[in-house]
Amino acid sequence: GQQLNQSPQSMFIQEGEDVSMNCTSSSIFNTWLWYKQDPGEGPVLLIALYKAGELTSNGRLTAQFGITRKDSFLNISASIPSDVGIYFCAGQPLDNMRFGAGTRLTVKP
Amino acid sequence: EAQVTQNPRYLITVTGKKLTVTCSQNMNHEYMSWYRQDPGLGLRQIYYSMNVEVTDKGDVPEGYKVSRKEKRNFPLILESPSPNQTSLYFCASNSRWGRETEAFFGQGTRLTVV
C-alpha cells in the first residue's frame, strides 16, 4: 500500500509568499520526485533527486533528498497565481514507485 | 513531440459493461503503468509493465486487467465495471527502471460508472 505521508494536505497562501511541503516515508527510497498537476491535466515532473542530501533547484523551486533517505521537501519561493495546483511527491524504493496523497495549493492574488 | 496519449478523456458507462481505456506512448519506453486518482488518496498504481508481455500488479489491481502486446500500447481493461471504479485514471511511461525515472503522464481519463 501507500507508504508516503505528504503534508500539508492543502495550503492557502497570498501571492508572493514562500511555500514549503514535505514527504516522509517508512522505508528508504533511492529516488525522490516532485510533480505538479494542473487542473484537468496529468502530473508533470518538477524536480528529480537521486542522492541522499542532494539539494536541487529549478527556478523558484528547491527540493532536497533527506539524509536518512526517508524524507524530502519542496520549497516554492515568491509564489505566483500559476503555482496553483496539486503537488505530489513520489518515491522509489527497490521495486516500485509510490506517490503521496498530494498538497493542494491555492494562491490568492 | 514526446507524449502519452489516453483515450477516451471522459467516459460514462453502466455497471457490468466491459470497457477499455487505451494508452499509447511514442518515446520507446519499456516501462508503463496505470494509476487511479481519488480525492485524498493520491495516485495509486493499478498495474505496471516492465516490457512487452511482462505485467505485474500494483497496489489496487482488483477489477482490472492489462495487456502489453506491443511496446507502445498498454490498454486498461475493466471486464465488469462497478461504481467503486469511478475515478480519474492516468497512464504513465518512463525510460528506465531504477534511475532517471521521469514518468510522463497522459492527460487522464475520467470514468463514471453508474
Side-chain angles (χ1 to χ4, degrees):
Chain A
Q2 186 167 294
Q3 300 170 307
L4 296 188
N5 293 309
Q6 185 172 350
S7 64
Q9 279 191 328
S10 61
M11 302 182 75
F12 296 83
I13 62 168
Q14 206 72 39
E15 183 178 357
E17 288 182 358
D18 297 343
V19 172
S20 186
M21 58 192 80
N22 69 83
C23 267
T24 60
S25 166
S26 56
S27 53
I28 290 173
F29 281 0
N30 296 321
T31 305
W32 281 98
L33 306 168
W34 285 93
Y35 287 84
K36 183 193 177 199
Q37 183 182 25
D38 290 323
E41 302 291 329
V44 174
L45 183 71
L46 298 173
I47 291 181
L49 303 158
Y50 299 106
K51 214 163 58 169
E54 182 180 353
L55 183 72
T56 297
S57 292
N58 179 5
R60 293 178 296 107
L61 277 58
T62 303
Q64 184 158 30
F65 191 143
I67 288 290
T68 64
R69 294 166 66 191
K70 291 184 177 182
D71 63 308
S72 177
F73 72 76
L74 174 71
N75 287 343
I76 305 173
S77 62
S79 58
I80 59 178
S82 62
D83 290 334
V84 162
I86 303 176
Y87 291 79
F88 290 101
C89 62
Q92 194 175 352
L94 289 180
D95 56 352
N96 210 351
M97 191 177 291
R98 296 286 184 268
F99 282 86
T103 295
R104 184 179 292 275
L105 179 64
T106 302
V107 180
K108 293 178 282 188
Chain B
E1 181 192 352
Q3 60 185 11
V4 178
T5 304
Q6 290 178 233
N7 279 296
R9 290 289 308 275
Y10 302 92
L11 179 60
I12 301 174
T13 190
V14 296
T15 299
K17 186 177 180 184
K18 180 180 178 179
L19 66 92
T20 299
V21 184
T22 64
C23 175
S24 180
Q25 50 97 0
N26 63 358
M27 295 164 279
N28 201 36
H29 286 165
E30 297 86 11
Y31 186 84
M32 297 183 74
S33 52
W34 275 102
Y35 295 86
R36 61 177 288 173
Q37 183 178 13
D38 301 290
L41 297 177
L43 291 156
R44 294 181 294 168
Q45 192 179 63
I46 303 170
Y47 267 95
Y48 65 97
S49 168
M50 295 180 75
N51 215 325
V52 175
E53 302 292 3
V54 181
T55 64
D56 208 346
K57 296 177 182 178
D59 293 324
V60 288
E62 293 78 21
Y64 304 95
K65 280 175 54 177
V66 292
S67 70
R68 189 88 183 275
K69 294 186 171 57
E70 309 161 278
K71 202 172 189 181
R72 62 182 291 125
N73 295 324
F74 190 44
L76 179 70
I77 303 154
L78 283 73
E79 294 271 3
S80 182
S82 61
N84 65 11
Q85 292 178 298
T86 292
S87 187
L88 179 58
Y89 292 86
F90 287 102
C91 177
S93 75
N94 53 275
S95 60
R96 289 196 301 184
W97 184 242
R99 292 259 323 165
E100 298 176 356
T101 53
E102 177 180 346
F104 290 82
F105 284 85
Q107 288 192 294
T109 296
R110 186 166 292 280
L111 172 66
T112 303
V113 183
V114 297

